[in-house]
């Protein structure tokens, strides 16, 4: 009897030991990634099973302590320490250690106070379970401030860019502000950060009370001589697709869409920034200028905040077979897509938030849906005009997949007051076109084609003077 009891005790101890070991193992860390950006810095922990954490923010000095339960410190977690870049605008350093037998503690030392958002993502595309820590500065970055800082960083006098030397003769609030900032010292006061976005109802009421915009006109006729100049800066929002956790399409040679389109967007930005149309200087604003992820609706919000006159989203197409080839241009559709292929493409591009990782729990979904549903017939009409100009010029340097502008429900094209198009530069899934997309010479040709299309659009559709306050 005594021996049986001993055997039972040993068996129970063995079961408890195995259970504790299994609990301690819990999830195995597969990979860790850090994505620094001015808007926010993201830390991603990828594991083979869901993990549970508790977080504590300490204000002085600012740091975030994260306890990861059911985890053992391994090589992947240790890699976090060396992944922090000195240029990261938010993270000063990361420390990790085995806090106890069942908990790994990660301490993120910060450069300033942050508002953390921590959320989990279920497996999708190439990823397993992900725990995401988005570290937002308490003082949010204002897209308009970014545009002004980019203007100052060029160190080009306002007159060299075609800007008047004084605001009295320049009837454009944004242009005046940029001109004044470029003439001030680097230590001058920076404009206040972006205030909370007004409600959708307020935006609609504002739109009704605003002076005439392109939306008020049933159509556009070629400008008369008196319309050739509007004395204002033309702002073009360039949106390199994907980024960060979302690589976009990947070619057979390993070329990532997010890298190619960022290169093209930067080339086009530099080209725009030294150009003008009918005497009006042009300025480009990038929704992202490095490798980080931006949710689709935030891309739209950024373009509206800088009062962009156009929105051009740049992508590289992919299909199941390598035979598909050619460039395409898409505009928004309020109804059905113009083709099954356009509908499929929109569905694929609209999945970016799932792959890139958006904190749905941190969003007001009703407001978000309403914002992205405020498309207008006038916006679509102008978008089609822009798309036709771009498609014609792209066709002069490469093959077109379709000879007309396609339409579908792309979420990123739903700014109600900005003509918006999505350009698929080529099929990265086609080996020949992947090689072209990797070529700097072809990227330059494509950039020049896009530039000509934009200039031709504005030569026939000059922007109206801005009457909106900042």
């Amino acid at each position: 009897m005594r021996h049986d009891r001993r055997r039972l005790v040993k068996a129970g101890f063995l079961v408890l030991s195995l259970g504790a070991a299994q609990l301690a193992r819990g999830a195995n860390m597969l990979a860790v990634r850090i994505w620094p950006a001015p808007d926010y810095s993201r830390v991603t922990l990828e594991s083979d099973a869901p993990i549970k954490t508790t977080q504590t923010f300490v204000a002085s000095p600012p740091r975030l302590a994260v306890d990861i339960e059911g985890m053992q410190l391994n090589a992947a977690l240790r890699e976090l320490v060396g992944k922090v870049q000195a240029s990261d605008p938010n993270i000063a350093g990361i420390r990790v250690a085995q806090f106890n037998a069942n908990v790994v503690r990660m301490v993120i030392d910060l450069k300033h106070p942050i508002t953390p958002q921590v959320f989990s993502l279920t497996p999708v595309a190439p990823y397993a379970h992900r725990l995401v820590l988005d570290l937002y500065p308490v003082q949010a970055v204002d897209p308009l401030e970014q545009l002004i800082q980019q203007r100052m960083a060029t160190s080009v006098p306002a007159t060299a860019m075609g800007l008047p030397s004084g605001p009295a003769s320049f009837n454009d609030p944004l242009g005046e502000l940029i001109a004044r900032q470029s003439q001030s010292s680097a230590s001058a006061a920076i404009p206040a950060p972006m205030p909370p976005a007004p409600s959708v109802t307020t935006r609609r009421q504002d739109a009704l009370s605003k002076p005439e915009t392109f939306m008020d006109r049933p159509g556009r006729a070629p400008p008369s001589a008196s319309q050739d100049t509007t004395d204002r800066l033309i702002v073009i929002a360039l949106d390199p697709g994907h980024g960060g956790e979302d690589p976009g399409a990947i070619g057979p040679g390993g070329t990532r869409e997010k890298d190619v389109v960022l290169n093209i967007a930067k080339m086009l930005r530099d080209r725009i920034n030294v150009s003008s149309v009918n005497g009006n200087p042009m300025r480009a604003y990038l929704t992202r200028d490095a490798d980080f992820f931006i949710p689709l609706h935030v891309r739209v919000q950024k373009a509206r905040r800088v009062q962009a006159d156009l929105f051009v989203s740049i992508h590289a197409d992919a299909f199941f077979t390598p035979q598909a080839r050619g460039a395409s241009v898409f505009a928004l559709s309020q109804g059905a897509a113009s083709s099954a292929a356009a509908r499929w493409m929109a569905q694929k591009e609209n999945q970016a938030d799932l792959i890139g990782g958006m904190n749905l729990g941190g969003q007001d979904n009703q407001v978000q849906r309403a914002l992205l549903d405020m498309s207008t017939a006038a916006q679509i009409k102008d978008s089609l005009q822009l798309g036709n100009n771009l498609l014609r010029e792209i066709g002069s340097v490469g093959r077109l997949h379709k000879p007309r502008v396609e339409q579908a429900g792309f979420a990123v094209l739903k700014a109600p007051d900005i003509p918006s198009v999505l350009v698929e530069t080529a099929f990265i899934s086609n080996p020949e076109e992947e090689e072209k997309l990797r070529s700097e010479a072809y990227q330059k040709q494509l950039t020049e084609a896009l530039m000509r299309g934009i200039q031709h659009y504005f030569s026939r559709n000059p922007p109206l003077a801005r009457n909106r306050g900042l």
Side-chain angles (χ1 to χ4, degrees):
M1 186 70 177
R2 184 177 299 173
H3 293 295
D4 291 341
R5 189 180 295 114
R6 287 177 178 173
R7 281 197 297 271
L8 288 172
V9 170
K10 288 181 179 179
F13 178 74
L14 180 60
V15 170
L16 288 172
S17 297
L18 289 173
Q22 190 173 24
L23 180 63
R25 271 198 311 272
N28 183 45
M29 195 64 64
L30 303 176
V32 296
R33 295 177 289 275
I34 300 178
W35 306 100
D39 299 31
Y40 71 104
S41 291
R42 168 171 288 189
V43 178
T44 303
L45 308 178
E46 185 178 359
S47 58
D48 58 4
I51 55 179
K52 181 181 178 182
T53 63
T54 56
Q55 303 88 38
T56 304
F57 177 70
V58 181
S60 184
R63 59 194 185 278
L64 180 68
V66 182
D67 286 345
I68 310 171
E69 300 179 16
M71 181 67 63
Q72 294 293 304
L73 188 61
N74 65 2
L77 277 167
R78 290 190 179 95
E79 286 180 4
L80 265 176
V81 177
K83 285 182 177 287
V84 179
Q85 302 176 20
S87 59
D88 192 308
N90 304 299
I91 301 175
I94 295 181
R95 296 168 281 151
V96 293
Q98 193 74 45
F99 184 65
N100 60 39
N102 194 41
V103 174
V104 169
R105 172 164 290 181
M106 175 175 64
V107 178
I108 304 176
D109 296 310
L110 302 160
K111 294 182 177 179
H112 48 73
I114 55 97
T115 302
Q117 291 188 16
V118 182
F119 57 98
S120 298
L121 298 170
T122 54
V124 64
Y127 297 118
H129 296 271
R130 285 176 291 170
L131 178 76
V132 178
L133 298 94
D134 284 346
L135 310 175
Y136 288 89
V138 171
Q139 186 171 351
V141 175
D142 182 359
L144 184 57
E145 179 183 331
Q146 284 182 311
L147 180 60
I148 294 167
Q149 289 177 337
Q150 290 168 10
R151 173 69 181 87
M152 293 171 64
T154 61
S155 299
V156 177
T159 52
M161 288 289 292
L163 293 171
S165 58
S169 60
F170 198 47
N171 186 26
D172 176 32
L174 179 58
E176 290 173 16
L177 183 55
I178 292 175
R180 288 198 301 270
Q181 288 288 351
S182 66
Q183 293 167 356
S184 64
S185 65
S187 60
I190 297 297
M194 180 172 58
S199 66
V200 174
T201 303
T202 303
R203 285 189 180 117
R204 286 174 175 160
Q205 290 172 344
D206 288 347
L208 293 174
S209 63
K210 286 175 186 173
E212 182 190 26
T213 68
F214 81 93
M215 292 190 294
D216 301 311
R217 290 181 274 179
R220 287 184 185 257
S224 64
S226 61
Q227 292 176 310
D228 284 347
T229 301
T230 56
D231 277 344
R232 81 164 186 77
L233 190 74
I234 297 174
V235 178
I236 301 167
L238 302 178
D239 176 50
H242 310 281
E245 289 288 291
D246 179 15
I250 300 178
T255 308
R256 300 182 302 185
E257 178 182 2
K258 67 174 183 178
D259 299 329
V260 169
V261 299
L262 181 60
N263 286 342
I264 294 171
K266 286 182 174 180
M267 286 184 180
L268 185 55
R269 174 197 61 190
D270 295 342
R271 185 70 177 81
I272 289 171
N273 287 350
V274 294
S275 302
S276 63
V277 177
N278 295 330
N280 296 305
M282 306 173 76
R283 189 67 193 169
Y285 171 76
L286 267 61
T287 58
R288 72 175 180 95
D289 57 4
D291 187 11
F292 56 90
F293 174 73
I294 303 175
L296 298 176
H297 74 284
V298 176
R299 297 169 187 259
V300 177
Q301 289 173 345
K302 284 187 168 191
R304 299 191 75 206
R305 182 66 180 101
V306 300
Q307 301 182 22
D309 297 290
L310 295 182
F311 179 91
V312 181
S313 191
I314 304 173
H315 292 255
D317 216 338
F319 199 62
F320 302 112
T321 61
Q323 286 75 30
R325 63 175 61 221
S328 305
V329 178
F330 295 87
L332 186 66
S333 171
Q334 283 185 306
S338 57
S339 68
R343 181 172 61 253
W344 177 83
M345 181 61 64
Q347 291 172 346
K348 183 173 71 73
E349 296 295 355
N350 290 347
Q351 291 176 349
D353 284 347
L354 297 177
I355 300 170
M358 187 177 73
N359 183 12
L360 292 175
Q363 303 294 325
D364 184 335
N365 291 330
Q366 289 185 340
V367 171
Q368 182 180 321
R369 282 196 299 270
L371 171 65
L372 295 182
D373 283 341
M374 290 195 302
S375 55
T376 67
Q379 184 260 33
I380 292 174
K381 184 174 182 179
D382 274 49
S383 299
L384 289 171
Q385 291 185 31
L386 170 62
N388 283 320
N389 283 311
L390 294 175
L391 199 65
R392 181 173 57 252
E393 295 298 336
I394 294 171
S396 69
V397 300
R399 179 170 177 168
L400 296 178
H401 184 64
K402 290 287 181 69
R404 65 182 185 278
V405 179
E406 294 265 40
Q407 291 180 262
F410 292 87
V412 79
L413 301 183
K414 292 189 176 182
D417 45 2
I418 307 173
S420 305
V421 295
L422 185 146
V423 177
E424 295 283 2
T425 53
F427 275 86
I428 201 171
S429 53
N430 181 294
E432 294 180 8
E433 295 205 333
E434 178 191 21
E435 191 63 30
K436 288 175 64 177
L437 287 172
R438 296 174 62 171
S439 162
E440 184 177 353
Y442 181 73
Q443 290 180 9
K444 288 181 177 179
Q445 288 181 344
L446 190 59
T447 296
E448 288 300 320
L450 294 171
M451 186 71 226
R452 290 194 300 270
I454 291 170
Q455 287 179 313
H456 189 265
Y457 171 83
F458 279 119
S459 70
R460 297 181 60 84
N461 303 276
L464 297 175
R466 284 194 183 92
N467 290 288
R468 293 170 287 178
L470 296 175

